[in-house]
Amino acid sequence: MERRKLILSTGNIHKVLEIKDILKDLPIEVLSKDELGFKDLDVEEDGKTLVENAIKKAKALKEKVDGMVMADDTGLFVDYLNGEPGIKSARYSEPNPTPEKNIAKLLKELNGVPMEKRTATFVTVIALITEDGRTITVEGQCKGYIGFEKKGSSGFGYDPLFIVDGYGKTFAELGEEIKNTISHRARALYNLRNEIMNVLEDGVDEDTSSK
């Protein structure tokens, strides 16, 4: 019997590997959109919330493929900056944003701000659309601080700046193995994992409603 498929809306190889690692023990085949030939599928993230953006990206992919699809949206919410960069985290340094430019802008905005006021929360929302079109959303959060300089060599995005609560090190210092158990995305993925298990067990049971 062919395994059921979960197609990921992201083309970010770091995300793809992280997701595949966390979901590796489920009886499903996890594929990225790029692996199915949809590398050029690009969805404008113009929603007002992470939830809106995640659902929009999932729906766009669902129109192209069979199987379950998932899309995520992540934001870094810095308290001192009234929640910025928030839903604009990936494009914080527009025009032509890059991770390095995003980090440089964030450090500039926080120049002179003491550590106790550099609190921040990483939030990931994942939207799952099942084979029969039901939409399920889950969330994961991780609290910490924004460092004064980049530290560590692993991870991506803001990982070299984000000092994880209780660890005293950035995601980039902690490494993938630890990050993949405690990060915002990991926590959202573990919640998603439970939802996928319910979908696999229940089939098209209507009890699994949108959340």
Side-chain angles (χ1 to χ4, degrees):
M1 182 178 174
E2 187 178 359
R3 288 198 301 172
R4 290 162 74 172
K5 292 181 173 63
L6 174 67
I7 299 101
L8 315 179
S9 74
T10 183
N12 183 317
I13 187 61
H14 299 287
K15 281 189 185 181
V16 171
L17 293 174
E18 185 176 350
I19 292 165
K20 286 187 174 184
D21 182 56
I22 289 173
L23 301 180
K24 63 187 176 185
D25 62 333
L26 290 180
I28 56 175
E29 185 178 7
V30 180
L31 301 163
S32 73
K33 68 180 179 68
D34 292 13
E35 292 175 83
L36 295 180
F38 295 104
K39 187 173 184 178
D40 294 330
L41 179 63
D42 195 18
V43 180
E44 185 180 3
E45 298 179 23
D46 56 0
K48 293 182 172 62
T49 65
L50 298 177
V51 173
E52 287 183 15
N53 283 336
I55 291 175
K56 183 178 182 181
K57 289 188 283 187
K59 284 183 174 178
L61 181 59
K62 182 62 178 171
E63 292 175 357
K64 306 280 187 183
V65 300
D66 293 321
M68 294 179 283
V69 303
M70 66 151 280
D72 73 287
D73 200 24
T74 294
L76 175 61
F77 297 81
V78 180
D79 296 316
Y80 185 83
L81 301 178
N82 297 313
E84 288 189 358
I87 62 170
K88 296 182 178 180
S89 294
R91 52 189 190 279
Y92 190 40
S93 58
E94 285 181 321
N96 305 315
T98 66
E100 287 299 319
K101 286 167 63 179
N102 290 340
I103 284 176
K105 180 176 180 179
L106 183 56
L107 286 175
K108 182 179 179 181
E109 294 291 333
L110 291 174
N111 185 40
V113 178
M115 182 60 81
E116 64 268 19
K117 293 184 179 180
R118 299 169 78 97
T119 54
T121 305
F122 252 132
V123 181
T124 290
V125 171
I126 297 175
L128 173 75
I129 301 181
T130 63
E131 289 102 336
D132 60 341
R134 288 170 291 140
T135 300
I136 299 166
T137 60
V138 295
E139 181 181 298
Q141 295 190 10
C142 186
K143 293 189 178 297
Y145 295 82
I146 303 302
F148 296 105
E149 60 185 359
K150 295 192 299 180
K151 289 186 177 181
S153 57
S154 71
F156 57 98
Y158 295 95
D159 286 357
L161 276 190
F162 188 80
I163 301 169
V164 185
D165 238 4
Y167 286 81
K169 292 184 178 181
T170 67
F171 275 140
E173 289 179 293
L174 289 172
E176 296 298 319
E177 187 173 348
I178 295 176
K179 180 189 173 186
N180 286 0
T181 63
I182 65 171
S183 77
H184 44 294
R185 186 174 293 105
R187 288 168 176 166
L189 282 167
Y190 285 117
N191 290 333
L192 178 75
R193 185 179 176 280
N194 293 333
E195 295 292 352
I196 292 175
M197 288 175 66
N198 290 336
V199 170
L200 296 176
E201 290 171 3
D202 298 342
V204 293
D205 190 334
E206 292 298 325
D207 288 342
T208 309
S209 57
S210 297
K211 292 180 174 60

